[in-house]
Amino acid sequence: MTAAVAPALKMQRRSLYPGWFYLPAAVIYSVLFLAPTFASLYFSLTRWTLFDATFIGLDNFAQFFREPFLIQGLVNTVIYAVITSGLKVVIGMMLAVMLTSQIMARGYLRSVIFFPVLVSTIGVGMTFTVLMHPTQGMINQALALFGIAGPGWLVDPKLALFSVALVDVWKGVGLATVIYIAGLVAIPKDYYEAARIDGATKLQNFFYVTLPLSRPATATVITLSFIGGLRTFDLIWAMTKGGPGFASDTVASVIYKQYQAGFYGLSTAGNVVLFILIAVLVVPLTMFLNRKQGHE
Amino acid sequence: MTRTKLFALTGASLLGLMMTANAVNAQQSGYLSLLIDNGPQSVAVAEAWVAAYTEKNPDVTIDIEVRPGGGEGDNIVKTRLATGAMADVFFYNSGSLFQAINPVQNLLPVTNEPWQAGIQDSFKSVVSAGGEVYGTPFAPAMGGGIFYNKPIYEELGLEIPKTWDEFMANNEKIKAAGKTAVIQTYGETWTSQLFVLADFYNVLTEVPDFAEKFTAGEAKFATTPAAVKGFERLQEVYEAGYLNADFGAATYPDGIRMIATGEGAHYPMLTFGIGAIAETQPDHLKDVGFFAQPGDDAATNGLTTWMPDSVYIAKTTASPDLAKDFVGFIGSPEGCDIRNEAVGATGPYMIAGCELPADVPPAVADMLPYFQEGGHNGPALEFLSPIKGPALEQITVEVGSGIRQAADGAALYDEDVRKQAQQLGLSGW
Amino acid sequence: MKHSRAAIAGGIAAIAATFVVFVIPFLFIILMAFKDKQQSALRDFSWPNGFHLFENLYEVIKTRNWMMITAFINSSLITVVSVTLLIVLAAMVGFVLARRKTKWNGLIEFLILAGLMIPPAVVPTIWLLQGLKLFGTLHGMILIQVAYNLPFSIILYRAFIATIPRELDEAAVIDGARPLDVFFRIILPLLWPVTVTNIVVQSVGIFNDFTNPLYYLPGNQNATVQLTLYNFQSQFSTAYNLLFTNILLITIPPLIVFMFFNRQIVAGMTAGAVKG
């Protein structure tokens, strides 16, 4: 009886999770994402007009690393990613601690901090461009009331990238906060009890219980915001278009500008550079963040 | 000849004449899509032409579609041509930008069309490729130079400068009087190129074959002292502290307002700005004058000219005859009259029979002598060479804001140009 | 006593600080949308001299042949269809991935992770879309959105499906259900919390997407909301009241999503984080 039923059940069990469930997703994903990614490895080595492609070897990449404004874009990208993810981690954690404490009006605070995450990036960029106008923008006018001469947020080449990064953090910190809240809420109360019995102060509580035990959340926030920062385009494009000059160009805006100019091979090379940059920076980062977790 | 035969002959000729007349004025019918840039003058004049044309040809419907200008617009035009999704008729630049949209592959040649006979050869040369003409001018020729505010000049007793040193001396006096000497509007990066591009006439006086050598890859900006001067002058004006306080964020409409109302004394710009002043500051139109960017020598003062933008027909159009008829209408004296009415005159027309109205704004009156007997003018580089690097406007923002030295900027531009030349497949690069 | 006084002081400080940082920019948008053209040109934080909101709205919606309406229709269409496809396809993949351990799983997971990190190669994609006659079409854009957002959705579903006991599947099989029935009738409904999170996150993301339509959907007939806002910048360069009315207009859909799904968002994140 069992012997007869077993193979029948086994056959049913196999087809219960049919392989063809993968098919539609696999087709769309491979054709529209994987295929072009592989194609880019070839086309980045050509001079391309979309109609014909002449093989030129590594010339595009040589160009990329020879032109100062292309290198600037590369440097800016890494700086931007580090600043935004760093700020989101720190501020996100602080806000999450505040929002999981006994503070009042928590509902209002959570909503107000999270809402910018849902709003259009272009809308946010345009709004802050007006707010950051050097003479007529509200930020500098408010500072003037206190007697402080506000800087040229988006027109000073030394400040432009940083100003856009600040707006990025304004918009994205809510997401980091929510992820942290989820992580904090998952920490068993026993740890805090034990710490309290040991006479720990609030600060010690934070550094010895909260911080270590929210490592998975920290890892998630760092990884997500770092990758996002490396690929950033929308906000830069809405606020400065990479200006003044090339001061706030990132690899993504460089890719777009080369595409606009019709240098399709060079643009694709930019994509490959970004791809390599992300792989080289993010993979070790992820391994580092997750390996430590295994040790705990 | 008998009387009867005479009558018959007259009658027949009259009939023949009437029939021919009808054939010439045969009413068109059909549909056209027209893609224009979003400049307010373009929109106003396009609407006027469509209204006039559809009044004469009630069975025709023309839809106007608007696209942004600048690099975005370039991209849209290129992409839509490449994917066969272009409108029937569209406005776009002439010169090197025209060369970059693959005209032989994408556009309908209009070389032997009837209206082309009245168009100046100098224009035809910048809308031709492979021996065929593809474009028709829809605007007057332009000059690139410096607008100046007349009231400020009168108040301070200044003369129109014929050399760069005189220009800087004027600026010094204006600054001493507590006013803004030079307006710059880097909020729209394309406006930052003017000091460099408008200097090209001065380059040509010193190096007459610069354009050919440049195209062949033999002459470079960085190594040609006359060519670097444009960048140096841009830097000079910034370093002398003559700029408006918000030069980094101000926009083209801000610049137009400032020069018209006297908030600033000088604004380097193309003469289509006159149209913008006429529209937004009509009361101050008489307060704005124009002069060519001066060089080192008063004797060789001349205007760097821009060929106007052109109207093209896409090869993929479904109604080529209707498109040609409409374009011919635009490129006719009647089209010019409608333009004069709709947006006013901003310069000399490239179409024979197109007259300027008797009363033109002072800035236009200042510009015309350069085109007439005894005056000097020469085309900007982008009309003598197919190569124009796409990053120039960012480089000029850098040089004009003190971020980068002029010589460095020139060298950077040479590199940028190299990319364009290679993409176009030119030899020698 | 001291404890609550500090808490109150801290609370007030927090509310004030968050108000200045997070609320004032939105108030600015709203105030500008009520002003007329001259007053909005001052760009300051002043009370409007009159109630111009409706005429501003009319102006904005009328611009360029009612383009905002086309844009809203297009964006909504793209969002709804993409999200629907994403839910069904990602759940299917997540389901089989979680349940069926084969030697291919490692490769599949790697490819999915890659999709989260690797930036799409835009120009080759354009070239491919042109070849497939999908470039500049709404359905092309929908397929792109699905392709680019599959990894995130799949990971969400896989994590959550692990919490549904296998016994449920097997019980259903014994009752005579075929695989498709098991999936659609039993599994999918149980995934509702994650589906809600997915809907919210993906809809907002796709509706607010600027870069992909910029590359793949040029042209006025296919105008999307973000692109239209961006293109109107030059149109409204001297009319800040209209520009901000436009920004206000496109902030309304996320606002609606927020009001309805506020709780679920946090709940969904918590669930995923704890289980993951």
Side-chain angles (χ1 to χ4, degrees), chain A residues 47-48 66-68 257 262, chain B residues 394 412 418-419 422-423:
Chain A
R47 182 157 297 126
W48 199 10
R66 188 173 47 220
E67 293 204 25
K257 285 185 192 171
Chain B
Q394 288 151 276
L412 207 58
R418 201 167 79 93
K419 294 203 296 270
Q422 286 174 333
Q423 188 80 15

Side-chain angles (χ1 to χ4, degrees), chain A residues 183-245:
Chain A
L184 288 180
V185 157
I187 297 178
K189 290 278 187 287
D190 318 336
Y191 285 98
Y192 290 112
E193 275 301 312
R196 198 171 62 89
I197 291 173
D198 282 349
T201 64
K202 275 225 160 78
L203 215 56
Q204 285 170 321
N205 244 357
F206 177 73
F207 279 106
Y208 292 113
V209 180
T210 314
L211 209 50
L213 286 173
S214 51
R215 198 155 253 143
T218 306
T220 311
V221 171
I222 292 183
T223 313
L224 283 182
S225 43
F226 195 71
I227 296 180
L230 287 176
R231 289 169 59 170
T232 184
F233 173 73
D234 295 15
L235 210 53
I236 303 259
W237 201 253
M239 296 184 78
T240 60
K241 295 215 186 21

